[in-house]
Amino acid sequence: MPHSLRRYTELPYALDYLRTREIALLSPKSWDDRNDSYYLEAYARTKGLNAVYALCLTEANETYHHWKVFSSGSSGICIVFKKQSLLEWAKSIEALRVESVKYRTIDQCKKYRPELEDLPFLKREAFRDELEFRLFATPTNNKSGPFRLHLPFAAVDRIVINPWLPKSVADHVKATIRGLEGCKSMKVYRSSLIENESWKRFAPSGA
């Protein structure tokens, strides 16, 4: 079982969490995958809910795909959570479900029609490489906007800065993060995914 959960996002949203210690679950209405949002909206309609909210993480190790699709160029950042700590925290939130997403083909759904409770955690097979782990909330008293939940720093393993940000700028971002209240000892790294000195050493150095 993976021990970490990664949230790929943009620097302003990461700073918002680090300053407030609150994660923001959003409405799925604006999601790019309309099949996915349709299932969540169908769940809400059937249950008679005014709104549902979700936050998408991944159980996958760092990949080029996740950086390119789920973060935004040089402003991309990844918050790595300790899975067990997050699961323990989630138990205290009555309106929150946290589960791995399941992936199915249309033929599989024809043979075994999804149950209503499956819908918030079900996606098409083509998205399997995401290895998504979802936080899904059904609050009854959220008025508008994102659904915010207090998530202590104890659940954070580290912060990873995207590999396209120049090192000098990344160093300033590290200093900014560690200058926030409670973040002095936060582990903050710049990803070496696309340029890693250890990897380069395996190539011959030439004459």
Side-chain angles (χ1 to χ4, degrees):
M1 183 180 75
H3 298 295
S4 298
L5 295 168
R6 286 170 168 79
R7 169 61 176 168
Y8 289 87
T9 185
E10 297 174 36
L11 182 57
Y13 296 104
L15 291 175
D16 175 70
Y17 165 65
L18 294 172
R19 290 183 67 90
T20 65
R21 293 176 172 81
E22 291 181 343
I23 56 169
L25 281 68
L26 304 177
S27 167
K29 291 181 178 179
S30 62
W31 285 2
D32 189 47
D33 182 3
R34 295 301 301 155
N35 292 314
D36 194 7
S37 58
Y38 182 85
Y39 269 22
L40 269 67
E41 291 163 4
Y43 179 89
R45 287 194 303 271
T46 305
K47 288 279 194 174
L49 302 169
N50 292 326
V52 293
Y53 301 86
L55 181 71
C56 304
L57 311 173
T58 179
E59 296 180 278
N61 291 326
E62 181 185 32
T63 71
Y64 184 85
H65 164 87
H66 282 91
W67 279 118
K68 281 294 187 178
V69 175
F70 299 107
S71 63
S72 182
S74 61
S75 70
I77 202 164
C78 180
I79 306 174
V80 184
F81 294 101
K82 302 169 188 174
K83 185 174 182 179
Q84 191 57 45
S85 295
L86 190 141
L87 292 175
E88 290 297 324
W89 161 80
K91 291 178 182 178
S92 65
I93 313 296
E94 185 176 352
L96 185 67
R97 285 176 62 186
V98 295
E99 297 179 24
S100 300
V101 168
K102 297 178 177 62
Y103 300 90
R104 298 288 184 268
T105 63
I106 290 177
D107 285 343
Q108 286 174 326
C109 289
K110 285 179 180 177
K111 188 173 181 179
Y112 301 104
R113 193 176 184 88
E115 300 290 338
L116 177 62
E117 295 302 321
D118 296 334
L119 297 187
F121 299 91
L122 190 63
K123 295 182 74 168
R124 294 192 66 179
E125 177 69 21
F127 293 87
R128 178 176 289 277
D129 287 346
E130 293 177 356
L131 288 179
E132 184 180 338
F133 187 91
R134 181 170 292 177
L135 279 63
F136 177 69
T138 56
T140 57
N141 57 354
N142 199 57
K143 296 179 180 179
S144 62
F147 180 54
R148 301 179 69 92
L149 293 170
H150 178 76
L151 177 57
F153 284 166
V156 177
D157 180 57
R158 62 192 181 277
I159 306 292
V160 184
I161 300 168
N162 77 84
W164 293 275
L165 196 65
K167 184 179 183 302
S168 59
V169 181
D171 287 342
H172 289 303
V173 173
K174 291 179 189 178
T176 298
I177 290 174
R178 289 175 178 150
L180 297 174
E181 183 180 354
C183 297
K184 184 178 181 179
S185 60
M186 184 79 68
K187 291 185 287 186
V188 187
Y189 307 102
R190 175 177 174 266
S191 171
S192 64
L193 180 67
I194 61 172
E195 189 168 15
N196 184 290
E197 296 305 318
S198 295
W199 175 264
K200 289 180 180 179
R201 292 191 189 104
F202 294 110
S205 57

